[in-house]
Amino acid sequence: MVTRLTTREETTMHDHRRLGRELRLFDTDPLIGAGLPYWLPDGAVVRHALEEYVRDAERRAGYQHVYSPVLGKRELYEISGHWSHYREDMFPPMDLGGEQVVLRPSLCPHHAVIYRSRAHSHRELPLRIAELGGMYRAELSGVLGGLTRVRAIQLNDAHVFCTPDQVAEEARAALAMIVRAYEVLGIRPARYRLSLPGPGGKYVAAPEMWRRAAAMLTEVLDRSGLDYERAEGEAAFYGPKIDVQIADGAGREATLSTVQVDFHQPAQFDLHYTGPDGARHRPVMIHRSVIGSVERAVAHLIELHGGAFPSWLAPTQVVVLPISDSELPQADDLARRCTEDGLRARVAGPEQGSLGARIRAARLVPYQAVIGAREAEVENVALRLRDGRRLDALPVVEAVRRINALVTSRRAELWEQAAPG
Ligand SMILES: [Zn+2]
């Protein structure tokens, strides 16, 4: 269940647009344009940490990363079906030397072409291609705002090319990856949804293909033990999908993550692999996204944590607070040690106000390292945790080591009493 906030104040308090501006994470400028936010250094840190988590999880799950351009010729999208089924969401094509190029509305066609760039044996499948790549959506200016309704999107995308026999296992593994990521990020899904086609012409016409793909996803969901709902009219134009829905403080739902089974684009791009029988076979394409778009994921994390990110995502992880100017050298030394160890640390000295005022100003920073005359003399530090806990003074070396162990393992806890490692 998702916590539903009741009062207008609480809803406003957790608005990612307000927090994003207050915490200097991102902003927009009319000169750049509506729906085209830019990321400030602290927001870029959060985004980078999140992207690294995803890439790391994908590498461990056997994905290979690629880069592909955010533009493509119009023909690419005519073949994929986007041009006929998705054009109203695309930017208009640009004329360029006798041909037309468009900003891409998805990464799938590029990945299909990458798959097609060489021959494949059944022994190489499943082949998992991943990219955190840009894509564009021609949203109307009236609905744009914050990081949730944007025209430029960074998508955590991947396509698994596999045999029909491998679909169920690959879709199951993708769903498990999503569930794991949500645990690490502290996200609770509002619900799981099996998104099926509805009436109308926005879906490719191939009843047998839809039936097979829907049956495969139904089996994956049934076996997962997760509760889910079926929703007609929510499928992609090329196939049904499992959507993981999240809700904001006001209860508004959005799709964050997805697993889709697609028989359409492999046929459109004439993809094949050589089977054990030596003959050509058609692979199936599974589209999957663990955290969806980086923009929507970060917006949700800002609202979910009220800016108090898990320590591994926090823009500043350690703030060093010398009680007086006399401890500045020790404070600088501790910040330098943290930085050299890969932690994000800064010093907030007495010129920024009383100790109490500096602690309040750093209330979102997971670790506040106080150094007074007593600590400075014996190279100790008195740690305060963001949740208000105050720890006994520790040797500086040990404090850095323990914080680093918690941060690099992406633990939700801020501290554990037994020293890790
Ligand atoms: Zn795709």
Side-chain angles (χ1 to χ4, degrees):
M1 275 302 292
V2 161
T3 312
R4 302 249 161 128
L5 298 166
T6 44
T7 69
R8 175 184 288 252
E9 286 73 29
E10 280 172 314
T11 307
T12 312
M13 193 176 77
H14 288 274
D15 184 339
H16 81 275
R17 287 167 296 192
R18 197 182 67 78
L19 275 171
R21 197 165 295 125
E22 249 178 50
L23 303 175
R24 310 258 327 128
L25 300 175
F26 67 90
D27 215 333
T28 52
D29 189 293
L31 192 55
I32 298 176
L36 300 169
Y38 54 84
W39 297 72
L40 293 160
D42 277 357
V45 164
V46 175
R47 170 172 164 171
H48 188 262
L50 183 63
E51 291 183 353
E52 261 319 290
Y53 164 72
V54 169
R55 286 201 182 96
D56 186 46
E58 287 173 340
R59 277 190 293 268
R60 289 166 196 267
Y63 286 78
Q64 303 176 59
H65 291 99
V66 297
Y67 288 109
S68 57
V70 299
L71 291 159
K73 279 166 69 175
R74 174 179 153 170
E75 286 91 319
L76 182 65
Y77 302 96
E78 287 173 347
I79 292 170
S80 69
H82 287 86
W83 191 255
S84 51
H85 295 280
Y86 197 72
R87 196 180 346 171
E88 69 268 31
D89 290 311
M90 292 169 63
F91 276 82
M94 291 169 265
D95 291 312
L96 192 71
E99 56 189 32
Q100 288 193 314
V101 290
V102 293
L103 283 167
R104 67 176 171 190
S106 79
L107 281 61
C108 342
H110 283 88
H111 289 189
V113 169
I114 289 172
Y115 176 88
R116 205 174 64 175
S117 64
R118 62 179 179 83
H120 298 282
S121 151
H122 65 97
R123 287 185 208 89
E124 294 171 62
L125 305 187
L127 188 72
R128 308 179 187 94
I129 295 180
E131 179 173 3
L132 267 153
M135 56 171 267
Y136 298 84
R137 187 174 293 155
E139 298 262 23
L140 298 174
S141 60
V143 300
L144 297 169
L147 291 177
T148 48
R149 299 303 293 264
V150 291
R151 286 171 166 163
I153 296 159
Q154 195 72 10
L155 189 68
N156 157 229
D157 204 6
H159 297 93
V160 180
F161 299 87
C162 63
T163 69
D165 289 347
Q166 292 167 335
V167 171
E169 172 53 24
E170 288 302 308
R172 186 206 61 77
L175 190 58
M177 241 178 127
I178 294 169
V179 171
R180 244 190 337 271
Y182 280 29
E183 281 167 15
V184 173
L185 294 165
I187 298 174
R188 290 208 247 170
R191 63 197 175 101
Y192 293 88
R193 187 176 80 186
L194 177 60
S195 297
L196 301 164
K202 65 174 184 162
Y203 307 101
V204 296
E208 175 55 18
M209 178 195 93
W210 285 98
R211 196 198 55 73
R212 274 180 77 198
M216 285 171 169
L217 290 180
T218 302
E219 191 189 324
V220 168
L221 280 167
D222 286 343
R223 288 196 175 181
S224 72
L226 299 165
D227 282 332
Y228 68 95
E229 289 169 21
R230 300 163 74 89
E232 291 196 353
E234 299 288 351
F237 73 81
Y238 47 77
K241 55 194 178 119
I242 297 172
D243 287 325
V244 187
Q245 302 293 107
I246 52 165
D248 67 9
R252 283 182 297 257
E253 248 189 46
T255 299
L256 190 63
S257 315
T258 182
V259 180
Q260 315 173 2
V261 173
D262 178 8
F263 293 99
H264 174 73
Q265 292 189 64
Q268 290 298 110
F269 284 98
D270 192 24
L271 306 184
H272 49 83
Y273 63 90
T274 309
D277 56 358
R280 283 157 60 113
H281 296 269
R282 183 84 68 215
V284 184
M285 213 168 152
I286 297 173
H287 310 241
R288 65 99 275 226
S289 181
V290 175
I291 57 154
S293 81
V294 171
E295 287 79 9
R296 190 178 292 282
V298 171
H300 189 67
L301 289 169
I302 292 171
E303 297 190 355
L304 183 65
H305 298 292
F309 296 102
S311 60
W312 64 276
L313 280 173
T316 301
Q317 293 163 322
V318 181
V319 64
V320 187
L321 305 163
I323 289 180
S324 73
D325 285 336
S326 317
E327 295 88 37
L328 265 173
Q330 286 84 358
D332 286 336
D333 182 60
L334 173 53
R336 185 186 49 76
R337 282 180 198 234
C338 288
T339 305
E340 283 174 2
D341 242 35
L343 292 166
R344 299 184 287 272
R346 63 180 163 81
V347 175
E351 79 286 354
Q352 294 180 26
S354 70
L355 183 63
R358 283 181 279 151
I359 287 172
R360 277 194 299 282
R363 69 191 182 285
L364 297 175
V365 177
Y367 303 99
Q368 298 147 11
V370 180
I371 301 182
R374 231 174 337 148
E375 287 82 17
E377 205 185 314
V378 290
E379 280 200 44
N380 270 4
V381 58
L383 285 183
R384 300 174 65 110
L385 308 182
R386 180 174 58 195
D387 59 17
R389 275 181 288 168
R390 301 167 69 153
L391 309 176
D392 294 336
L394 286 170
V396 161
V397 176
E398 189 190 338
V400 174
R401 184 178 62 75
R402 289 179 66 171
I403 292 172
N404 207 11
L406 287 156
V407 165
T408 51
S409 59
R410 299 189 177 103
R411 296 281 292 277
E413 302 88 350
L414 289 177
W415 199 250
E416 53 188 352
Q417 287 313 316

